[in-house]
Amino acid sequence: MTRPFKIDKTLRERRRIIRLLDFLKREDLTTDQMERIGKRLQKSGRRALSPLVRKLWHEKNGTAIYRYACMLDFFDDSSWLDQLVQITLRRTDLEEEGRMALLDALQDYGIDVTAPPFAGLVGYGAASIDAFIKECLKDGERGLVRFMDMFLDAADEIRERMIHCLSEEGTPDAVALLEILLSFEQPEVVREAIITLGKVKSGFSLGVLTRAEQRHEGEIVDLIRRSIRRLSFMGIREPNELPHTFPVPLPFHQVQAGPLDIYGARSLLFSWSLEDSSLAALLLLVGESDGVINALSYRIKDEREFAAVLREVAAGELLEPVEPSYAVAVLKDALYHSREKGYYLPPDFYVDMRLFSPDSLRPEPYVPRFSMSHLDGIVARIPGYVTTSNELLDCTSLEGWLLSEPAVYDAVDRLEALEKKNRDGIIPEQELEVELARFCKELIIPRRAEIIKRLLLIADYMQQVKSDETQVQHTLACALSLVGGFLPEVRHPFIRRLMLDSIETARQAMAEGYDLRMEESFDEE
């Protein structure tokens, strides 16, 4: 009897899964894209989990491993957690970044990676938390960052153990870490750090508490004074400054800032000259409503190396020199939003915040202010400025103002369908207006208030970097015209070009094989 062949109907889906997993290796991948990929993989269940786990067995790039590990969250951990443990223990070929990604994933699922058999892996020390902290304290500034990186992810009981270990070490490095913890967001951590400083028999500890007494208030000050009295009973009455290797507030060397993108993010760069003639720099990514998003700390040996770093960073982030007071005000605003949303700060920032004066780090919302020369007669000039407001998108300060979202790619599909429907490939004006009105309704009107605020902040940035006064007023007038409904959004020249530029950019990306929507969906069955 002839046995009929069984047709494999899953081939198409398996190919999609492989494409999705390969897409995770793109450099410009966003959090939103990762979320969408995860949901699509989730729909395929075990058919997607098996190739995902295989990727973790073979991938060597640390960023890709991190992203693959994030995808595991979309599956029942009972089907992959044991395999992840084996991968972490047996993949001895990985660099530190890859191992840290695997260890972080295990820690997120409640596994104590500071205990055997994981403790000996790179990044988490030897056989215990004590050994991990000893390694951090031997590694200078980077060791402090490693400590804070783990501290942020640790459970409360692990944090208590980490602070207790610092009191047993009692070295200047340990005291420096306790001083960093005095700026932590959780009051219980601050209290524990103060009590621990009172147990470290060292003039360095007294010096930290003395400085802290000046910038705290209320119950915290009473606790600080009790720790100071405790040190006095132990014979510690003369405060000592931490060695010069541990930064203290210093004047700024250079301060630079970049413009906001359409989603409200911008970069700030602060730098300082240290006493040993080297330099420190801190590059921050801050969001107009998202707070301090990321931080990258630099230690630079001399001015020549600093100039090279500055050229590279300034070109990528569109940085321009600004007055320190302006950059500090923007930083305070970011700290305000981080605190408002309950976000922890990046590890590098916790370590380098000692370079700022305490007043520079007081969370405070920022409201831009404009000179009378920019405001004088602006209402009467709005009609004229609106007419040419599309030209603002050619300004350096508005470079990159493009919407990059799945709905933009949907609009490209609809417009291309209309082109194909007409023999000459030209979309009738009426049909084009219908599509632009839909785009406006879906993507512009819901965020009109955000666009207005960001245009005002861009105008403020322009005046800070000494842009042409007419350009500042032009941007300001554009924002005010959107407040007053001077024109329907779809007819507004600035908004209209923003829409068309975004659509054209998405069209070009699709022509090159890139689709934010991942080209295909698993909804087809």
Side-chain angles (χ1 to χ4, degrees):
M1 184 177 70
T2 304
R3 178 182 296 177
F5 288 108
K6 183 178 181 181
I7 299 174
D8 184 358
K9 297 182 179 180
T10 67
L11 178 60
R12 186 181 181 192
E13 182 178 14
R14 285 188 281 117
R15 291 177 64 187
R16 291 174 181 171
I17 291 169
I18 297 303
R19 284 201 298 271
L20 285 171
L21 293 176
D22 288 342
F23 196 88
L24 285 168
K25 299 181 74 171
R26 286 180 178 260
E27 291 184 2
D28 55 353
L29 197 66
T30 66
T31 303
D32 181 64
Q33 287 174 298
M34 287 182 60
E35 183 78 15
R36 291 169 63 83
I37 292 171
K39 289 179 179 177
R40 290 177 179 181
L41 292 173
Q42 187 180 45
K43 290 181 181 179
S44 293
R46 295 191 65 84
R47 283 199 294 271
L49 182 59
S50 295
L52 174 59
V53 172
R54 283 198 300 273
K55 289 284 189 183
L56 285 168
W57 273 111
H58 299 289
E59 181 60 52
K60 292 187 177 181
N61 180 273
T63 300
I65 290 173
Y66 166 76
R67 291 171 177 172
Y68 291 144
C70 288
M71 294 300 104
L72 293 173
D73 287 344
F74 293 89
F75 302 90
D76 182 4
D77 59 22
S78 64
S79 57
W80 58 260
L81 190 54
D82 288 343
Q83 293 186 71
L84 185 62
V85 169
Q86 292 304 314
I87 292 169
T88 305
L89 293 174
R90 292 168 60 182
R91 289 214 58 188
T92 57
D93 59 315
L94 291 176
E95 299 291 336
E96 181 174 354
E97 185 182 9
R99 288 180 182 166
M100 287 290 288
L102 295 173
L103 289 164
D104 285 344
L106 291 175
Q107 183 170 282
D108 288 343
Y109 278 84
I111 294 177
D112 183 2
V113 296
T114 64
F118 305 103
L121 298 178
V122 174
Y124 281 91
S128 65
I129 287 181
D130 300 62
F132 166 71
I133 291 174
K134 285 180 186 293
E135 287 191 4
C136 288
L137 297 179
K138 294 176 183 177
D139 197 20
E141 294 287 322
R142 300 319 302 168
L144 304 186
V145 172
R146 286 175 60 203
F147 177 95
M148 288 306 302
D149 196 10
M150 183 175 176
F151 191 86
L152 294 176
D153 290 333
D156 290 343
E157 59 272 17
I158 299 296
R159 288 178 176 175
E160 288 180 14
R161 287 170 59 190
M162 293 175 76
I163 294 174
H164 178 70
C165 288
L166 292 177
S167 71
E168 293 181 342
E169 291 296 323
T171 63
D173 307 69
V175 174
L177 275 170
L178 289 168
E179 183 176 27
I180 291 170
L181 294 178
L182 293 182
S183 301
F184 202 68
E185 289 82 359
Q186 292 187 353
E188 56 270 25
V189 170
V190 175
R191 285 194 292 270
E192 188 66 28
I194 292 170
I195 292 170
T196 302
L197 282 165
K199 299 176 182 178
V200 179
K201 193 176 179 181
S202 164
F204 299 125
S205 182
L206 179 57
V208 168
L209 287 169
T210 302
R211 288 195 299 272
E213 184 182 12
Q214 299 170 9
R215 66 175 188 267
H216 286 86
E217 54 189 24
E219 296 180 0
I220 291 295
V221 172
D222 294 336
L223 189 60
I224 290 172
R225 289 170 180 165
R226 282 201 294 273
S227 286
I228 291 174
R229 285 198 297 272
R230 181 186 176 94
L231 288 174
S232 178
F233 294 149
M234 294 189 293
I236 306 299
R237 298 182 179 87
E238 291 296 327
N240 291 333
E241 293 293 331
L242 287 167
H244 294 316
T245 50
F246 299 101
V248 295
L250 292 169
F252 293 116
H253 176 66
Q254 282 196 39
V255 178
Q256 303 210 4
L260 286 86
D261 65 20
I262 195 169
Y263 295 101
R266 70 162 100 187
S267 296
L268 302 173
L269 179 70
F270 297 92
S271 62
W272 302 263
S273 293
L274 304 181
E275 293 191 13
D276 60 359
S277 299
S278 65
L279 294 100
L282 183 66
L283 178 64
L284 299 172
L285 178 65
V286 300
E288 165 256 320
S289 59
D290 293 330
V292 182
I293 301 169
N294 201 2
L296 183 59
S297 175
Y298 296 85
R299 290 297 180 268
I300 303 165
K301 66 179 182 179
D302 54 31
E303 283 283 358
R304 183 176 179 181
E305 184 179 327
F306 175 74
V309 170
L310 184 59
R311 279 195 302 271
E312 181 182 349
V313 173
E317 305 297 331
L318 302 177
L319 298 177
E320 295 284 351
V322 294
E323 288 295 323
S325 58
Y326 169 69
V328 167
V330 173
L331 174 57
K332 286 183 173 182
D333 181 77
L335 292 170
Y336 173 83
H337 290 294
S338 289
R339 175 174 291 184
E340 184 182 47
K341 295 189 175 182
Y343 295 158
Y344 289 137
L345 301 172
D348 289 57
F349 186 78
Y350 283 110
V351 173
D352 274 3
M353 65 196 307
R354 295 166 298 159
L355 290 162
F356 294 89
S357 68
D359 289 343
S360 299
L361 300 177
R362 186 173 292 114
E364 187 177 288
Y366 177 66
V367 179
R369 292 175 174 82
F370 297 93
S371 66
M372 287 306 299
S373 63
H374 295 135
L375 297 174
D376 188 33
I378 192 169
V379 175
R381 297 176 188 171
I382 286 178
Y385 276 136
V386 167
T387 303
T388 57
S389 59
N390 58 307
E391 297 175 4
L392 286 172
L393 290 165
D394 294 322
C395 298
T396 303
S397 297
L398 284 156
E399 186 175 323
W401 263 52
L402 295 166
L403 292 166
S404 181
E405 300 173 24
V408 180
Y409 288 74
D410 293 339
V412 172
D413 282 346
R414 293 194 299 270
L415 290 170
E416 289 185 345
L418 290 174
E419 289 175 351
K420 293 174 182 177
K421 190 175 72 173
N422 294 279
R423 292 182 180 178
D424 57 4
I426 299 175
I427 303 173
E429 183 177 351
Q430 185 175 0
E431 294 181 0
L432 176 62
E433 291 303 320
V434 169
E435 283 301 326
L436 291 178
R438 175 176 176 177
F439 187 106
C440 201
K441 181 180 179 181
E442 292 178 356
L443 291 173
I444 301 297
I445 294 176
R447 54 162 55 96
R448 181 176 61 181
E450 295 174 358
I451 292 174
I452 292 168
K453 182 178 180 181
R454 287 162 193 169
L455 279 172
L456 291 172
L457 290 170
I458 284 287
D460 178 45
Y461 172 78
M462 287 177 169
Q463 69 176 353
Q464 298 293 336
V465 298
K466 307 297 189 293
S467 295
D468 181 76
E469 290 200 0
T470 302
Q471 199 173 72
V472 177
Q473 194 173 58
H474 198 171
T475 306
L476 194 53
C478 181
L480 295 176
S481 70
L482 291 170
V483 174
F486 183 81
L487 280 174
E489 284 84 353
V490 72
R491 305 302 304 171
H492 195 291
F494 178 85
I495 296 298
R496 194 172 181 86
R497 180 172 168 191
L498 175 62
M499 292 191 294
L500 292 172
D501 283 0
S502 299
I503 289 170
E504 181 58 28
T505 301
R507 186 199 298 269
Q508 292 176 10
M510 291 171 69
E512 296 171 1
Y514 173 77
D515 190 333
L516 193 59
R517 304 161 303 174
M518 300 306 303
E519 300 179 1
E520 293 180 88
S521 165
F522 284 114
D523 293 337
E524 300 174 21
E525 291 292 342

